[in-house]
């Protein structure tokens, strides 16, 4: 069943060149989809249109049976509780502890006052501790986030998204600031979120090899257009070249080394 559907999504930031042009695709519930493409291709714009962090210029996005662009205040808030978001630079409050940051994922369910006073139920706290444990952060639970490594910060980001009880997680370059070991841990967790919890994962990245390894499906974007949409095993060197243009030579060499090892 389609959870997310984009129809002819077009976004102009200025009058001339669109950042996204007539983008259409659907994502099934529980699917793990990577959006790949060079810098400036429109990957981040695409993700941000889905939860209305930015507005479309044309086209339509539906999520879980509702048309996203038509939602007003309360319903938009409800939509955002169903969509967790993970960022390259984590977007944590550094001076707060891990548990406090994770509980922030519950704010969408609360009145502003209850949120501001940090009122969370026992059940919410227990759920947060459970998720922190799954992400291997039990020893860090009362540490301030500015004392964590990048990989640990990103795991806090995943935990914060999960306490929302989301149907989908959008990940905007989640591993771009991490070393390969930390990146692997994050990707393994995201894959688990999809496989074990049935949560749909849509992740932006520029690393083809990582996308090939983890995804059920890959969407390749170049200059705001979808130029590939298919299974990882169907992505050919020629298609990689369509997606990455002049950057592709280097990427194909990377791929060759990976396949050879
Ligand atoms: P990617 O995530 O693939 O690197 P982006 O979605 O960030 O690509 O950017 C797509 C295009 O839109 C780029 O040409 C970028 O310069 C432009 N763009 C992104 N954000 C803005 C903005 N806030 N204002 C104007 N142009 C923007």
């Amino acid at each position: 069943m389609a959870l997310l559907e984009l129809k002819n999504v077009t976004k102009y930031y200025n009058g001339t060149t669109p950042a996204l042009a007539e983008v259409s695709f659907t994502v099934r519930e529980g699917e793990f989809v990577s959006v790949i493409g060079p810098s400036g291709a429109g990957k981040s714009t695409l993700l941000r249109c889905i939860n209305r962090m930015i507005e479309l210029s044309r086209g339509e996005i539906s999520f879980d049976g509702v048309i996203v662009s038509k939602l007003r205040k309360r319903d938009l808030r409800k939509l955002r509780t169903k969509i967790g978001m993970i960022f390259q630079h984590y977007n944590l409050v550094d001076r707060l502890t891990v548990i406090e940051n994770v509980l922030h994922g519950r704010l969408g369910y609360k009145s502003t006052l209850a949120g501001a006073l940090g009122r969370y139920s026992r059940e919410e706290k227990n759920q947060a501790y459970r998720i922190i444990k799954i992400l291997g952060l039990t020893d860090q639970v009362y540490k301030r986030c500015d004392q964590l490594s990048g990989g640990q910060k990103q795991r806090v980001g995943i935990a914060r998204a999960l306490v929302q009880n989301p149907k989908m997680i959008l990940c905007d370059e989640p591993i771009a600031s991490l070393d390969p070991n930390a990146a692997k841990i994050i990707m393994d967790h995201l894959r688990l979120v999809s496989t074990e919890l049935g949560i749909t994962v849509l992740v932006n990245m520029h690393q083809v090899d990582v996308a090939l390894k983890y995804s059920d499906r890959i969407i390749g974007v170049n200059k705001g257009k979808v130029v590939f949409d298919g299974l990882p095993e169907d992505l050919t060197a020629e298609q990689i070249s369509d997606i990455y243009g002049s950057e592709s030579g280097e990427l194909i060499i990377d791929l060759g080394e990976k396949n050879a090892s």
Side-chain angles (χ1 to χ4, degrees):
M1 203 182 83
L3 178 67
L4 173 71
E5 183 166 12
L6 279 76
K7 284 189 208 155
N8 307 109
V9 167
T10 301
K11 169 70 184 174
Y12 284 91
Y13 286 107
N14 54 44
T16 49
T17 327
L20 292 175
E22 306 289 337
V23 170
S24 300
F25 62 84
T26 60
V27 176
R28 288 194 317 277
E29 212 160 335
E31 216 175 0
F32 189 116
V33 180
S34 294
V35 179
I36 61 170
S39 183
K43 305 182 295 296
S44 180
T45 301
L46 177 62
L47 246 64
R48 284 159 201 262
C49 283
I50 294 171
N51 66 355
R52 292 264 305 272
M53 284 168 82
I54 53 177
E55 301 290 340
L56 304 186
S57 305
R58 267 203 321 270
E60 192 176 280
I61 298 179
S62 46
F63 177 79
D64 201 23
V66 296
I67 297 172
V68 171
S69 54
K70 291 193 177 157
L71 299 177
R72 295 286 161 258
K73 282 185 184 160
R74 221 176 104 233
D75 290 332
L76 182 58
R77 204 169 128 122
K78 197 165 144 202
L79 170 91
R80 287 182 178 149
T81 63
K82 293 190 208 167
I83 303 179
M85 186 96 195
I86 292 168
F87 303 89
Q88 178 180 352
H89 299 294
Y90 327 117
N91 283 26
L92 304 176
V93 183
D94 272 343
R95 67 188 162 74
L96 296 183
T97 61
V98 168
I99 183 75
E100 286 168 320
N101 270 283
V102 171
L103 282 164
H104 278 175
R106 298 298 304 170
L107 286 177
Y109 290 97
K110 300 194 170 296
S111 70
T112 320
L113 182 65
L117 295 175
R119 283 194 192 135
Y120 299 99
S121 68
R122 178 165 298 274
E123 178 43 42
E124 285 176 315
K125 286 179 193 163
N126 287 342
Q127 189 202 7
Y129 285 119
R130 274 199 304 276
I131 291 170
I132 285 169
K133 189 171 173 204
I134 293 170
L135 285 149
L137 290 168
T138 303
D139 291 346
Q140 277 73 39
V141 73
Y142 301 117
K143 270 196 190 156
R144 277 169 57 132
C145 282
D146 53 11
Q147 291 168 6
L148 304 180
S149 69
Q152 288 171 330
K153 284 183 185 174
Q154 197 55 296
R155 280 186 273 154
V156 176
I158 297 174
R160 182 183 53 190
L162 288 178
V163 296
Q164 285 181 228
N165 294 327
K167 288 204 161 191
M168 179 169 71
I169 298 190
L170 300 175
C171 313
D172 197 1
E173 298 280 1
I175 56 169
S177 303
L178 302 178
D179 65 60
N181 285 337
K184 181 180 183 307
I185 292 169
I186 293 303
M187 291 307 296
D188 287 345
H189 278 298
L190 291 175
R191 185 64 241 190
L192 227 92
V193 161
S194 154
T195 311
E196 306 268 315
L197 307 178
I199 297 171
T200 308
V201 175
L202 189 59
V203 50
N204 274 353
M205 64 176 97
H206 54 267
Q207 303 91 330
V208 182
D209 55 342
V210 180
L212 286 173
K213 185 170 167 202
Y214 285 94
S215 317
D216 296 323
R217 199 169 122 213
I218 292 178
I219 295 176
V221 184
N222 180 289
K223 295 191 182 125
K225 293 200 175 99
V226 172
V227 292
F228 176 84
D229 181 353
L231 301 174
E233 52 267 39
D234 293 337
L235 184 68
T236 62
E238 197 179 322
Q239 279 152 340
I240 294 174
S241 160
D242 287 345
I243 300 167
Y244 285 91
S246 59
E247 282 182 33
S248 61
E250 212 174 300
L251 289 156
I252 291 165
I253 292 163
D254 282 354
L255 215 60
E257 280 171 358
K258 179 177 167 277
N259 291 341
S261 63

